[in-house]
Amino acid sequence: MGADLTDISAVPRTVDWVEGRLRLIDQNALPDRLAMVDLTTWQAARNAIADMTVRGAPAIGCTAALGMALAAHGYSALQPAQFVQAVSAAAADIRSARPTAVNLMWAVDRIAAVVAASPTPAEGAARAEAAAVAMLAEDVAANVAMGRYGAELLPDEGSVLTHCNAGALATVGYGTALGVIRAAVAMGKAIHVYSDETRPRLQGMRLTTWELQRDGIPVTAITDSMAAVLMRQGRIACVVVGADRVAANGDAANKIGTYAAAVAAHHHGVPFYVAAPLSTVDMALPTGDGIPIEERDPAEVTCIAGVRLAPEGVPAWNPSFDVTPAALIAAIITGQGVVRPPFGPGLARLAGRAAAQGGAS
Ligand code: MRU
């Protein structure tokens, strides 16, 4: 392993701000092509979230923040009252792009508050941009901190299962669950990763394997249905996943199929870890029952890469996320430290600390 796995400068940031433009890695083109898209309007930023050009809770949040900056710049020639009205309308629309990842709402509200507190439209646009750009560095710092805390939980040697993609591609860089794995490898641990393919959109197969292969971290792709038997055979030391929203009691929403992996892990006595920044923790929701679950186009289930596999006209159900009950989670790894069950008091303490520091880690 030659690469310094804490150095993320060699790969483009998943979300970036370059000369007044929002630059994204086009995740719908991976793994075939590493392509960048540059966006100049808040509507384009919103669409990129909705069509999953950018995906993963922290990456969605940072894109939304920069989308708000684009809105503030775009409307900065308006009179103050119209400016505030136009930016608020943009905020409402960006917020509605996807319902489950709370980072989206958290980021929009954070930039909206900066705009509202600004004395003039021009100043509002400048401050919105500065605040949104600062969130990119904050995100990377939170991931690196999560990696440091979480790496301690991984074995010195062994296989880790992950589901979906909670890597550099799901964040600005480095990753949450994959950040933990990167940090463990950087510490000298001999980690091999099993990556669930993650039907229907195949984020594990397309994105997680791509990232880990680039880093030289050994990875084996499996279909989602193969994870339980690996656990039964004693071949999984632990499971590490990300989250889109964590309720105050520790119930965690993540990509559909995460719950099945958690049930299997519990049955086989395999520790199940969730790595998420505090911007993913929704202290307003007492339990995961209140987490809105996105339902996407049924064609994502009946088709793969545009090829229909089911007979024409067969209905399909396509919930994009599920909720893993806190009782199945051994620890939640945040940028402020590791929380163990019962999660309520620990999450409240760390969320309060992050709020006092003015950010989210
Ligand atoms: O539908 P996606 O690809 O946006 O779903 C992403 C996930 O479920 C990730 O695991 C989650 O956002 C955590 S990313 C650090």
Side-chain angles (χ1 to χ4, degrees):
M1 175 202 69
D4 170 6
L5 298 178
T6 61
D7 175 11
I8 58 166
S9 58
V11 262
R13 281 173 156 193
T14 301
V15 181
D16 212 347
W17 183 254
V18 182
E19 291 167 8
R21 289 159 185 260
L22 166 58
R23 179 166 293 173
L24 301 173
I25 293 181
D26 178 359
Q27 301 196 39
N28 288 325
L30 288 171
D32 297 336
R33 276 181 312 116
L34 174 58
M36 313 303 295
V37 289
D38 280 2
L39 309 177
T40 55
T41 65
W42 68 263
Q43 292 92 340
R46 188 222 181 263
N47 291 343
I49 294 170
D51 73 11
M52 295 176 69
T53 298
V54 62
R55 34 66 51 201
I60 289 171
C62 289
T63 301
L66 292 171
M68 286 290 289
L70 287 171
H73 278 298
Y75 296 129
S76 62
L78 295 176
Q79 291 304 308
Q82 281 81 35
F83 169 73
V84 170
Q85 210 171 21
V87 174
S88 303
D93 204 12
I94 296 171
R95 264 174 144 265
S96 72
R98 293 188 74 188
T100 304
V102 75
N103 305 60
L104 170 59
M105 297 75 189
W106 172 84
V108 169
D109 292 350
R110 203 167 153 187
I111 304 302
V114 168
V115 170
S118 300
T120 63
E123 187 61 24
R127 290 189 194 178
E129 177 181 329
V133 169
M135 284 168 68
L136 306 182
E138 249 177 50
D139 182 64
V140 175
N143 293 336
V144 170
M146 246 177 276
R148 248 195 323 269
Y149 289 119
E152 303 288 344
L153 304 177
L154 267 50
D156 289 341
E157 191 178 341
S159 289
V160 173
L161 177 77
T162 192
H163 188 78
C164 194
N165 172 268
L169 290 167
T171 60
V172 174
Y174 203 63
T176 60
L178 295 194
V180 168
I181 290 166
R182 288 194 161 94
V185 171
M187 278 169 70
K189 296 190 174 191
I191 303 294
H192 162 267
V193 180
Y194 282 107
S195 173
D196 276 349
E197 69 169 340
T198 318
R199 272 284 281 152
R201 287 191 64 106
L202 305 170
Q203 290 93 331
M205 183 70 81
R206 296 190 303 110
L207 307 176
T208 296
T209 55
W210 181 83
E211 271 193 35
L212 294 177
Q213 192 181 54
R214 275 174 76 104
D215 269 0
I217 296 176
V219 56
T220 302
I222 58 171
T223 68
D224 302 337
S225 52
M226 294 169 186
V229 78
L230 281 173
M231 292 182 202
R232 185 175 168 80
Q233 291 176 2
R235 292 162 64 186
I236 303 286
C238 64
V239 183
V240 189
V241 297
D244 286 80
R245 193 183 299 224
V246 178
N249 71 340
D251 291 350
N254 192 48
K255 181 52 55 195
I256 189 75
T258 303
Y259 172 53
V263 169
H266 189 71
H267 182 76
H268 293 101
V270 173
F272 185 92
Y273 301 124
V274 172
L278 288 161
S279 52
T280 301
V281 178
D282 186 349
M283 293 304 290
L285 287 184
T287 74
D289 294 345
I291 298 177
I293 300 296
E294 176 182 19
E295 290 204 18
R296 295 187 66 86
D297 185 349
E300 290 182 353
V301 172
T302 52
C303 304
I304 296 184
V307 178
R308 185 167 49 77
L309 302 174
E312 181 95 58
V314 168
W317 180 49
N318 188 15
S320 198
F321 299 94
D322 56 30
V323 176
T324 297
L328 302 182
I329 301 171
I332 298 176
I333 304 156
T334 78
Q336 296 271 351
V338 174
V339 186
R340 295 277 188 179
F343 295 111
L347 287 176
R349 187 170 47 82
L350 296 189
R353 193 199 292 168
Q357 290 171 358
S361 49

